[in-house]
Amino acid sequence: MLISASVWQALIDAGVALVPHGSDRVELAYADARATLAVVASPTPLSPSDIVAVAGRYPEPCLIIVPAATSAAREAVEATGGSWLVDSGQHVAGVLHIDGTRIVLRPPAPAATRPTRRGRVPWGAFTLVRRMIQQPHATQRELAALAGVSQPRVSQVLTALADIDVVRRAQDGWTLQNVDAAIDWWLSSYPGPGGITTYWFGLRAVVEQAARVASILAAAGVQPVAVSGDVAADLLAPWRAPARAVVYAADGADLAEADLVPAGPEEATIELTVPHDPGLWPTASQTRGNALPLADPLQILWDVMRAPGADSEEAAERVRQVLRRRHEQERAA
């Protein structure tokens, strides 16, 4: 995530409101001051020259988030008119510039070790497996269209998955070797949806909260919107009273209109994410007949598995059974 849970909590504590606009831009508000910033999160510290180069790529000021920053790097950010946050994983510190207002977040973060640099996330591979669960028999051309990637990339991914017995070549194209093996591979490899997440708390039933949020986003012209987590799992395979809803949206919003207030990740009842992952949105066939727009079933399973609650494993198994049953039905068709 570009905005970690610790950064979100630090902003709440400082009285700063955050509304995502896309997966890499946010609007920050403090009292009457407002500003839109491009979010640049780096897994390693940036040098002053790096900061100048990054700032030059965006028309608006940047909010640069790093695990550590020298005084020269911090001065370089402010010289560009941008804002900076040091997120060590334990503490968040920094300076925000919001429409002429300078806000200092304390305490200073302690020195942090450098995280391992990650490469680009292979969203196409994760989307490909999602689509193969929905459509068990497909050619490379069909899979390329379903996953939104090139045929050479499909061929590359299928070869790698065949080597670990997740897929196999069939007479009419490609199919999954074993749906449970495919689900296990996806769950163990998936890094999360990326993007920006905000956390909210409300007193109404969580299903009602999710419906209200989806309605507000739709009224604002935000599309697509997809509901995941406990609420979606309960619609797919009723098991327990939902405690938290995950809502994915192409853009963010201030959810005060839904009678929600900003909250920490632990007590939140609504988790609103503007994701990087293009594959979590439902296909046209998945949207029919649902009371709410639901995320891709694999995404629902992933969100349920990380949900709070002692019975999350049982709820996740019920969602897995739905995935397995739907796959077998499509396979037999």
Side-chain angles (χ1 to χ4, degrees):
M1 292 289 178
L2 294 180
I3 303 291
S4 68
S6 55
V7 167
W8 168 255
Q9 186 66 62
L11 294 176
I12 293 175
D13 294 342
V16 177
L18 179 150
V19 176
H21 291 302
S23 62
D24 60 358
R25 280 172 172 77
V26 296
E27 180 185 353
L28 298 183
Y30 182 80
D32 294 330
R34 294 180 179 274
T36 298
L37 295 85
V39 182
V40 179
S42 172
T44 57
L46 298 177
S47 69
S49 59
D50 291 333
I51 288 164
V52 172
V54 167
R57 298 175 194 159
Y58 299 93
E60 61 273 280
C62 290
L63 170 58
I64 294 179
I65 305 173
V66 287
T70 63
S71 58
R74 298 194 295 266
E75 290 170 3
V77 175
E78 296 197 56
T80 67
S83 302
W84 60 270
L85 292 173
V86 169
D87 180 7
S88 71
Q90 296 179 320
H91 302 285
V92 175
V95 173
L96 304 175
H97 291 277
I98 304 176
D99 193 24
T101 301
R102 188 174 189 269
I103 303 158
V104 179
L105 277 66
R106 301 182 186 279
T113 57
R114 292 190 175 198
T116 303
R117 184 182 295 272
R118 290 185 176 183
R120 179 176 295 180
V121 177
W123 298 122
F126 295 117
T127 304
L128 184 66
V129 173
R130 292 183 195 266
R131 303 300 178 248
M132 291 188 76
I133 290 175
Q134 301 163 21
Q135 186 165 327
H137 307 285
T139 65
Q140 282 192 194
R141 177 177 295 181
E142 290 170 335
L143 289 171
L146 287 169
V149 296
S150 67
Q151 287 194 55
R153 177 58 178 153
V154 169
S155 177
Q156 183 183 38
V157 172
L158 289 173
T159 299
L161 293 175
D163 288 343
I164 56 175
D165 297 325
V166 174
V167 302
R168 63 180 174 84
R169 189 186 292 276
Q171 288 185 342
D172 52 352
W174 288 83
T175 188
L176 295 179
Q177 182 85 359
N178 180 288
V179 65
D180 281 302
I183 293 172
D184 289 340
W185 173 86
W186 194 94
L187 291 173
S188 65
S189 306
Y190 186 61
I196 298 172
T197 298
T198 58
Y199 301 89
W200 304 82
F201 175 81
L203 295 174
R204 297 182 180 180
V206 173
V207 174
E208 185 179 350
Q209 292 180 39
R212 179 65 174 148
V213 169
S215 176
I216 288 172
L217 291 169
V222 177
Q223 289 293 336
V225 173
V227 176
S228 186
D230 287 356
V231 169
D234 187 59
L235 291 173
L236 287 180
W239 172 248
R240 61 174 181 176
R244 174 184 291 191
V246 178
V247 180
Y248 294 104
D251 207 354
D254 184 346
L255 300 184
E257 186 180 343
D259 297 326
L260 301 174
V261 296
E266 297 301 321
E267 63 268 20
T269 52
I270 293 287
E271 185 177 311
L272 175 62
T273 295
V274 181
H276 275 318
D277 183 0
L280 60 79
W281 309 112
T283 61
S285 62
Q286 292 174 325
T287 59
R288 291 191 291 268
N290 294 321
L292 289 171
L294 302 187
D296 175 83
L298 264 182
Q299 195 68 35
I300 296 170
L301 176 58
W302 186 81
D303 282 318
V304 169
M305 289 182 67
R306 65 184 182 86
D311 57 352
S312 60
E313 290 187 8
E314 294 174 272
E317 178 56 32
R318 285 181 171 254
V319 176
R320 182 188 278 259
Q321 289 173 8
V322 171
L323 275 166
R324 188 185 298 120
R325 183 171 64 252
R326 289 182 177 180
H327 176 78
E328 295 303 327
Q329 288 172 346
E330 291 294 330
R331 197 180 190 118

